[in-house]
Every structure is written in C-alpha cells, then in structure tokens.
Amino acid sequence: MIVALKQGITQDDSDSFIASLESRGLTVHISKGENQTVLGLVGDTSSLDPEAIGAHHLVAKVLRVQEPYKRANRLFHPTDTRINCGSAKIGGGFFGVMAGPCSVESPEQIVAVAKAVKAAGAAFLRGGIFKPRTSPYSFQGMGCEGINLLVAAKKETGLPVVSELMEIHQLEVFDEIDIIQVGARNMQNFNLLKELGRCSKPILLKRGLASTVTELLMAAEYIMAGGNEQVILCERGIRTFESFARNTLDIAAVPWLKQKTHLPVIVDPSHATGISSLVPAAAKAAVAAGADGLIIEVHNDPENALCDGEQSLTPGGFSDLMVTLKKYAALEGKTM
Ligand code: PEP
Ligand code: MN
C-alpha cells in the first residue's frame, strides 16, 4: 500500500504517524520529495482499510497495490487447491461436473435424475431443498423432507450431493450433504460465511448477481479466515443491461479468477443463461476458459418442473453434452 502524506506537515506529526503504522507490524519505506512524503507499506496489509487510512488528517492519498484477500490469493499459495469428496475431485487438474434438478421434487424425480446424471458421468448430484425464490408464491423447496430424498438418491447412486443452505440454523440438517452451496443472493451474508468458516465441509460459493470478482474473492476470504480452506467459486452470470438471457455469463471472469486465486472455479451455465438451448455452448465455453467444473440443471420432465424448467437439460441432452465435454476437458489437460 502506498500512502502519500499531505504537504507541509511537521516532522513530529509524520514520525508519530509512521510509528503507528510500524506498531501494526508493517515496515514503512519513506521517500521524501521536495514538497511531499510518500510511504510504502510492506507486510501484511490485508487487514488495513484504505478508507480508514485515507481519512487520517495527515493523508492525501492511498493506493492499494496488493489485493485485499490473502488466503484466497495465488500469490501466497501458488499451487491449485483440489477439493476431494470421496472419489470425486474438483480443481488441481480434475474437472468435476455437478448435475441434477434445480429442486428436489419427489422421490421418483430425484432418483431418476440422479441415476441418469451418474450414467452420463457427473461426479456430483445437485438438488435444491431450500430455494431462494423471487416470488413468495413460487415453490420454496421441499425443506427438510427434501433432504431425506436427496440423501436417499445419494445412497442409491453413490454420488456426493450438493445443496444450498440459506440460513445458519439449516446446518443442523446438512450432516449428510457433502458440499454446501451458498447461493448468489447470500454471497455477502457475512454471518453465514463466518459460520461456514467454522465448518469442515467444502463450500460452493456462487457469485452475487451484481458482485465484482473481487467481492467474490473477499466472500471466499471470509470463509477461509474462519479456518475452512475448502471453497469452490462459481461464476453464474451477472446482471447487465442485456436482457435476452436470464443473466450475462462473465466468461472472462474464469481465467481472471484462475490467475488471482488457487481455489477451483466452476461455471453454472444454467443460471447464467436461463435458456436450455444455450446451456451446451456456455458449458463448452467454460471448459475452454479454464474452468475446473460445471454445475448444470437437469430435469426428467423440464416442462413440468416446479422450478427452472426452462433452463434445465433433459437427461438425454445432458448425456450428449457430457460426451463433448469429456473431449474438451481432455484438450485442456484435465481429468474428468
Ligand atoms: C441454484 O443453484 O439453484 C440457484 C438458486 O442459483 P443462484 O444462487 O446462482 O441463483
Ligand atoms: Mn435453479
């Protein structure tokens, strides 16, 4: 971090300000110009708030040169993090596909979809139990009853399961859930993130609807700062002025995130587009962009789905896509 001091301040003032920075464990390089003094702060500046420093009466300008996230930063952890869930792997050269319905709807539905996605080569089964819906009159998910159905499908197929948690107290019923999903709407629910930092399961953290990638990384940092280093980031489309699709898939965010962090990065082409016919192309683009995996909605009867049918692939469509994705992953040097 670089701090330019105001012109004309006394030596005593500048000395005591520098001493206060040093007392926070930082080394301060002082460069004295004719009119102005500029300080270079070296050390762990991740806990410094540039706005607070900028508000100091002696400070003219502050410039952050290092990213504000540390644990998620590739600089301090150059090798890729791999998340292991039984035999399923994501990151560090492994490409993992999570697939399943937006929501668990019935025992028949979840078992049929689970078997189909497993046969097609998915490594994880997804299924929402607690659903964040825009309208309070829309299907809200099956709740705790749905957990049992998802766990039954896990036992039947052997696939690890991923499901979204909306509130801290729901952790009590997530014992058998292998990966906890934090949805886009909760990406900055900091109390939830802190609590998940204390848990020992991998967290699938989805990018907020209007969040920058730095905000996504800072949300991951919340979880990691609590001690849970197993975070998977998910690009799921963001809000833009464009309205042909449900969201705008920010494909360049994938290589950008891969440069900035060692955490696995996956893409959700279903929520990113909202249109099932666009899902295969978006999924292929994600592999080519360097993603470590995908989360794709698949439904055995999309037309009658209780949630997100218009963006869901049929089991057949998913199976065809997986044949192509395997070739793409191989081209990228990833094991799928
Ligand atoms: C979902 O995965 O079902 C979901 C609600 O996603 P998002 O939080 O990205 O909207
Ligand atoms: Mn959905």
Side-chain angles (χ1 to χ4, degrees):
M1 190 178 284
I2 292 164
V3 179
L5 299 182
K6 283 183 181 158
Q7 293 187 11
I9 62 172
T10 67
Q11 187 66 43
D12 279 358
D13 274 351
S14 131
D15 287 349
S16 71
F17 180 60
I18 291 166
S20 78
L21 293 167
E22 285 171 340
S23 73
R24 298 166 84 161
L26 299 162
T27 306
V28 182
H29 293 291
I30 306 159
S31 121
K32 266 195 168 61
E34 226 168 85
N35 303 312
Q36 203 170 20
T37 300
V38 174
L39 310 176
L41 312 190
V42 181
D44 181 8
T45 55
S46 54
S47 62
L48 290 185
D49 177 0
E51 281 179 24
I53 305 236
H56 194 283
H57 68 280
L58 300 178
V59 173
K61 213 170 182 174
V62 182
L63 182 69
R64 201 187 249 302
V65 282
Q66 204 176 70
E67 288 91 357
Y69 45 91
K70 191 174 172 221
R71 289 170 174 82
N73 201 323
R74 197 181 269 289
L75 214 56
F76 304 107
H77 189 303
T79 55
D80 280 350
T81 285
R82 178 183 304 160
I83 308 285
N84 298 308
C85 247
S87 60
K89 298 178 178 67
I90 237 169
F94 286 86
F95 191 87
V97 178
M98 306 173 178
C102 179
S103 308
V104 176
E105 296 173 10
S106 70
E108 297 76 24
Q109 174 245 17
I110 190 66
V111 170
V113 178
K115 285 183 174 164
V117 299
K118 182 177 181 178
F124 304 85
L125 173 66
R126 68 151 284 153
I129 308 296
F130 302 110
K131 296 303 303 176
R133 303 302 302 277
T134 302
S135 166
Y137 309 117
S138 300
F139 176 59
Q140 303 287 305
M142 289 185 80
C144 296
E145 196 195 335
I147 293 267
N148 299 332
L149 304 187
L150 189 61
V151 172
K154 164 182 168 169
K155 293 202 168 126
E156 180 116 13
T157 56
L159 288 178
V161 289
V162 51
S163 199
E164 177 170 355
L165 176 134
M166 286 168 59
E167 291 179 55
I168 294 166
H169 73 84
Q170 291 165 349
L171 257 180
E172 293 159 21
V173 294
F174 266 55
D175 275 354
E176 303 251 27
I177 304 301
D178 300 280
I179 299 182
I180 300 173
Q181 176 176 330
V182 174
R185 290 151 193 83
N186 265 319
M187 190 204 84
Q188 286 193 318
N189 181 340
F190 299 117
N191 286 338
L192 182 62
L193 300 178
K194 281 184 195 165
E195 195 62 36
L196 295 174
R198 287 190 272 272
C199 112
S200 58
K201 289 177 195 268
I203 310 297
L204 171 61
L205 180 63
K206 299 188 89 175
R207 180 176 179 182
L209 281 79
S211 298
T212 65
V213 284
T214 303
E215 285 163 342
L216 172 63
L217 288 163
M218 291 307 288
E221 192 76 10
Y222 259 92
I223 300 169
M224 299 175 87
N228 186 355
E229 305 262 319
Q230 301 188 85
V231 181
I232 302 166
L233 304 173
C234 180
E235 161 57 33
R236 46 78 71 207
I238 49 172
R239 274 287 162 83
T240 66
F241 55 82
E242 184 54 79
S243 60
F244 77 87
R246 184 173 178 179
N247 290 293
T248 298
L249 174 57
D250 184 5
I251 199 72
V254 176
W256 178 259
L257 283 166
K258 295 290 296 174
Q259 285 175 22
K260 296 287 165 191
T261 182
H262 54 91
L263 297 173
V265 178
I266 72 166
V267 168
D268 175 346
S270 310
H271 291 88
T273 62
I275 303 167
S276 61
S277 63
L278 301 183
V279 168
K284 288 184 277 183
V287 190
D292 299 294
L294 289 158
I295 179 163
I296 301 178
E297 287 187 343
V298 179
H299 198 285
N300 53 342
D301 183 9
E303 279 182 25
N304 292 303
L306 295 181
C307 187
D308 286 351
E310 63 284 15
Q311 67 190 35
S312 299
L313 296 183
T314 59
F318 176 68
S319 178
D320 290 346
L321 174 60
M322 286 294 276
V323 173
T324 312
L325 291 178
K326 277 177 201 150
K327 294 182 197 153
Y328 274 55
L331 277 176
E332 290 293 319
K334 300 214 165 99
T335 308
M336 183 169 150

